[in-house]
Amino acid sequence: AKDNVLFDGTVLLTGTCIVPPNQFTLAAGDRIEIEITGIGTLVNTAIAAS
């Protein structure tokens, strides 16, 4: 069995397989790519919160 520690505020979506450490955060300009074979790749760039 696989497991991860989940922190308050963690949001799990279908397909979530890993949970990063609580201190992890994205920075403005980080590129996020999610690839699904046979469907394609979703690409987003993080922006600064306002």
Side-chain angles (χ1 to χ4, degrees):
K2 295 181 181 182
D3 60 80
N4 293 287
V5 176
L6 301 179
F7 301 96
D8 291 344
T10 299
V11 177
L12 298 178
L13 304 172
T14 302
T16 300
C17 60
I18 61 170
V19 177
N22 199 32
Q23 65 274 13
F24 175 83
T25 189
L26 293 169
D30 284 352
R31 182 180 167 114
I32 302 95
E33 296 186 22
I34 301 169
E35 181 179 356
I36 299 175
T37 303
I39 294 177
T41 303
L42 172 66
V43 179
N44 284 300
T45 302
I47 60 171
S50 53

